[in-house]
Each structure stands twice: as structure tokens, then as C-alpha cells.
Amino acid sequence: AVARRPEKDDKRELAEAAGVEFVPASELESDPATGMVRSAASRSNVVIDAVLGTGRSRRIDEPLADLLRSVREAAQMVVTVDLPTGMNADSGDFDENGLRADLTLMLGFPKFGPVVTAGEGMCGEIRVLDIGIPPGLAEDISAEWMTPSLAARLLPDRAGDANKGSFGRTLIVGGSRNYLGAPLLAVRAAVRSGAGLVYLATAEPVHNLIAGGVQEAIYLPLPVNTDDGFDHPVACTELLNAAVDMDAVLIGPGLGQSPETVRFVEQFVRNAPEDTSVILDADALNIVSRMPRWPGTLKPPTVLTPHPGEMARLLDCSVADVQQDRVAAVKEAAIRFNATVVLKGAATLIATPEGRIRISPWVNSGLAKGGTGDVLAGLLAGLLAQTPDAAFDAASLAVYLHGLAGDSARTSIGERGMTAGDVADAVPTSFKSLEA
């Protein structure tokens, strides 16, 4: 017991009745006290941390800092109740004198700060315990942590008597001379998403190099000019004609930013069909960030999928500003651009213009590699084509499945050697696990 207890202490009496030995650490500043704690921790299989919780706001000083240091040095395993001592529940900031956990048992609901910041490795494995909070009490909470049960509820229905036209048409626009793999990775994920038909539109020279790279896709070559860039008036007209028949269009993976491509993207964004969901990713985001008054050109439902650098360009701020408060950044972007926004990274965030937000539980350095964003974008495009009126749910499910597939690849191959292609290949088993 770190703090002094009252003379009449019901909790202490309950603990002692259960056989718990109660040792008050009333002289924490003395070496014998910390030595006792260090000795007890080293003899124990598990140390339970229940010192400070969600109400902590002050810095941890002596003598508590010395006590926690003794535990850190000796404990084999630390299980913390609700939050590790030293963790700020709202921001996720961690006191340098705090106690890192191997397992955190959060009570009732996940705590916002450590979940959004991926716990900075201080929470260890996180489990949320049901403590009997009455149903309906959380109806006004706008933030949700993605769980397997929530993701499973978002799976699109698949009727037994359906045909390929029942599951949506997805069009992916991307690729350039230096980025041949990006559109193929996106298509590879889209055909794994359950979409009925997946099309890939690329500049004709790119088409000649990659056509057939994904056998299930339908390929649409777009004309180029003499500079080997899109012949933007003609190419964009062909793309817009094709987009009319699509349920979702993803534009951006590996597209490049040549002057002709910039004009091509600008023309498409300004004239995209109103009944077609549009996803802007990668180079398309960088291009529209330089368009004057571009937010007013977007037609709902639009989904933006920036990483922190792209988000900084969209919001005209620094990457440090984005990372310092990722929640504020994704909420501001969703409202300013009237779109569903996916801010990629560890604990990816998904936000709507109405202020709803979902948080991915996945933290995996194996996903910090080129091409994994293309896989996510393609998976999202395929899911959105199946549920075009539910952009937030489609984006949330795509993020969760992408993380689950990444976790599967990490388990079988390892973080260092896994590739974006391994993530795409693990998508079907991820679907299967959710369906089960």
C-alpha cells in the first residue's frame, strides 16, 4: 500500500479476508522500504500495478518514483489495472518515472489516450474488461475502438443467389513509369475484398507493361501525349465515361505528379460523377492539396487516405503538428473537406464530418513499408463498391482487415521480411476469421 489508509478501511479488510498480505510502505524514502519492495517483486511471478489511474495529472516525484523504479528493476511481469501508473488517460503521455505494463486490463471501455498513441509500448497487451456498465450508457460517445465483433458487424452481406453484379464495380486509377507495382497491389487487394468486378485504368505505356499482372482484373488503357503523360482532355473524358458505371473509384496509387497528370487529376476531381464514391490516395492527395478551393469540388461520399506527410500538406501544417495531436488533425480534415478521412499510421484513425471517429488497434512495424498503403486503398475501394452508402463503415472495415492481415503476415513471416504482397495475400483468411 503506497498511500496512508484510513483507520476504518473496508477495502483493506476485504483484501485481508481473502488472504492478501497488506504491507504499508509508510517510509518510502528509506532504503529498507524500497529494498523490501524490490525483494518482493523479484520473488513474484506477477506484480499488479494499481497505484495511479485515470485521475493522474501531476508528475510522479519521490518517494513514489523510487518505489516504482525498484519494481521496474525487479519485476518479471507487470499487470496493470485500467492504466499503467504514469499514463495520461486523455493524451497517452507517459511519465518517465511510470511503470510499464506487460498486460493492461482496462475497465469498462478502452482509454482514449493510450489507444490513439498505440500506448507507446507502455501498456503491453490491452484487454478491456466488462464491469457491468449498463447498456445505452455509451450511446453519446463518438469515439470507438475497433474490435473483432465491431468489424464483423460491418461485413457486407453476401446473398447465396447473387451474381458478380451484386457486389459492386471498382475502378482503380494509377501507375506511372516509375511506379508499376502500386496499382497492381491495389487491384490485388480489391479483388480479394469480395467486389464483383475490378477495373484498372492506367496510361497506355504502363498498361502495356502490367496488363495481366492480376488475372482477375479488367484493364482500361488511357491515351497519352507525346511527353508520355496523360492526354488529359481525352484520357479524362474516357475515365469519366467509365466512372459513371462504377460504384467506387480509387485514384492515386503510383500515379505520379507530371504536369499532364496533375491536369488529368484536377479535371477528374472537378467532374467526378455524383453517384460514384471516390477515394483519393497517394499522388492524388498531393495534387489536390495544391488545387485552389479544392475542398468545394469534392462530392460526398469521398474518402481521403493520407499518411502524416500527406495530411500535413492537406492541412498546410507540419508533420510534427499532425503527429502531436492526430485526433485533432483527422477531425479537422474530415470537417474541412466534408469527407471520411483515414489517417494512416500505428493505431490508424478514421473520422467523419459529423465528428465520429474509430481507432484501429493494430500496431505493426511490418506495415511501415512501401506498398502497404496501396493494399489498404485497394481493399477500401473494393469494400466501398459493395456498400457505397456506408463510407465510414467501409473505411473502418478496410483498416481493421488490413491490420489483421498484417498481423497474420507478421506471425507467419515476421515483421522484417513481410511485404505488402504478403498482406494482400492474407486478406482472405482475415475475412474468414471475422466471419467465424
Side-chain angles (χ1 to χ4, degrees):
V2 175
R4 299 183 184 276
R5 308 294 300 187
E7 292 185 10
K8 176 61 177 174
D9 192 337
D10 295 336
K11 293 180 180 178
R12 171 177 175 172
E13 292 173 2
L14 287 171
E16 291 177 331
V20 175
E21 180 182 359
F22 189 92
V23 181
S26 56
E27 301 295 335
L28 296 182
E29 66 277 7
S30 65
D31 289 337
T34 54
M36 174 270 295
V37 171
R38 183 180 291 106
S39 176
S42 64
R43 297 194 311 269
S44 303
N45 294 323
V46 176
V47 172
I48 297 176
D49 168 22
V51 182
L52 300 178
T54 57
R56 183 199 77 84
S57 58
R58 294 179 302 173
R59 184 178 181 277
I60 297 176
D61 295 316
E62 302 296 352
L64 179 56
D66 196 29
L67 177 71
L68 296 176
R69 188 178 307 112
S70 298
V71 175
R72 285 198 305 271
E73 293 170 353
Q76 299 179 45
M77 179 179 183
V78 176
V79 176
T80 191
V81 179
D82 210 25
L83 278 177
T85 291
M87 175 73 72
N88 185 296
D90 295 322
S91 68
D93 292 338
F94 193 76
D95 193 298
E96 62 180 3
N97 292 319
L99 186 58
R100 182 194 179 282
D102 298 289
L103 171 64
T104 297
L105 303 176
M106 292 187 178
L107 304 181
F109 295 108
K111 302 304 177 286
F112 197 78
V115 170
V116 169
T117 59
E120 299 181 353
M122 299 304 170
C123 289
E125 179 186 351
I126 294 175
R127 298 182 191 173
V128 181
L129 304 185
D130 183 352
I131 59 173
I133 294 176
L137 192 63
E139 288 182 356
D140 294 334
I141 297 177
S142 60
E144 297 175 278
W145 195 36
M146 290 290 293
T147 63
S149 59
L150 173 56
R153 291 198 300 272
L154 302 180
L155 288 169
D157 294 330
R158 297 192 70 83
D161 59 351
N163 57 63
K164 60 188 177 184
S166 306
F167 300 123
R169 296 170 180 261
T170 303
L171 173 58
I172 295 171
V173 188
S176 58
R177 180 182 297 179
N178 294 330
Y179 299 101
L180 302 176
L184 288 177
L185 285 167
V187 170
R188 193 167 160 186
V191 299
R192 294 290 198 180
S193 72
L197 293 166
V198 179
Y199 298 75
L200 175 58
T202 60
E204 191 168 1
V206 175
H207 166 268
N208 295 337
L209 292 171
I210 67 174
V214 177
Q215 294 176 329
E216 297 84 355
I218 302 166
Y219 292 82
L220 303 176
L222 298 175
V224 297
N225 59 21
T226 55
D227 296 325
D228 202 28
F230 283 106
D231 185 351
H232 80 270
V234 178
C236 196
T237 297
E238 292 187 11
L239 178 61
L240 289 168
N241 289 337
V244 170
D245 296 324
M246 301 295 160
D247 296 289
V249 175
L250 162 64
I251 182 167
L255 198 59
Q257 300 183 55
S258 69
E260 289 295 318
T261 298
V262 169
R263 287 190 283 271
F264 168 80
V265 171
E266 291 177 347
Q267 184 178 345
F268 175 80
V269 169
R270 290 193 177 99
N271 298 280
E274 291 188 7
D275 296 330
T276 301
S277 300
V278 175
I279 302 162
L280 300 180
D281 180 61
D283 286 320
L285 289 171
N286 294 322
I287 290 171
V288 299
S289 70
R290 299 192 295 269
M291 288 173 56
R293 299 180 300 279
W294 71 270
T297 65
L298 299 180
K299 305 176 183 69
T302 300
V303 182
L304 312 180
T305 59
H307 58 54
E310 292 160 347
M311 180 67 93
R313 286 187 281 277
L314 291 172
L315 295 178
D316 193 22
C317 65
S318 69
V319 174
D321 290 335
V322 172
Q323 294 296 77
Q324 184 175 2
D325 195 338
R326 297 171 64 238
V327 173
V330 74
K331 284 185 174 182
E332 178 185 349
I335 294 170
R336 185 190 298 187
F337 308 135
N338 193 29
T340 297
V341 179
V342 178
L343 177 54
K344 295 181 289 191
T348 292
L349 304 175
I350 311 101
T352 71
E354 296 76 29
R356 296 185 65 191
I357 185 168
R358 285 178 177 149
I359 306 156
S360 167
W362 303 110
V363 179
N364 180 352
S365 69
L367 293 174
K369 295 178 180 176
T372 58
D374 304 311
V375 172
L376 173 60
L379 182 58
L380 170 53
L383 290 169
L384 187 56
Q386 298 170 67
T387 57
D389 295 327
F392 184 47
D393 288 346
S396 300
L397 179 59
V399 167
Y400 188 89
L401 282 166
H402 182 259
L404 184 59
D407 192 61
S408 176
R410 173 172 58 182
T411 300
S412 59
I413 301 172
E415 291 184 1
R416 293 182 187 275
M418 62 183 280
T419 66
D422 296 323
V423 178
D425 289 341
V427 168
T429 55
S430 299
F431 271 113
K432 188 175 181 180
S433 69
L434 282 185
E435 290 164 350

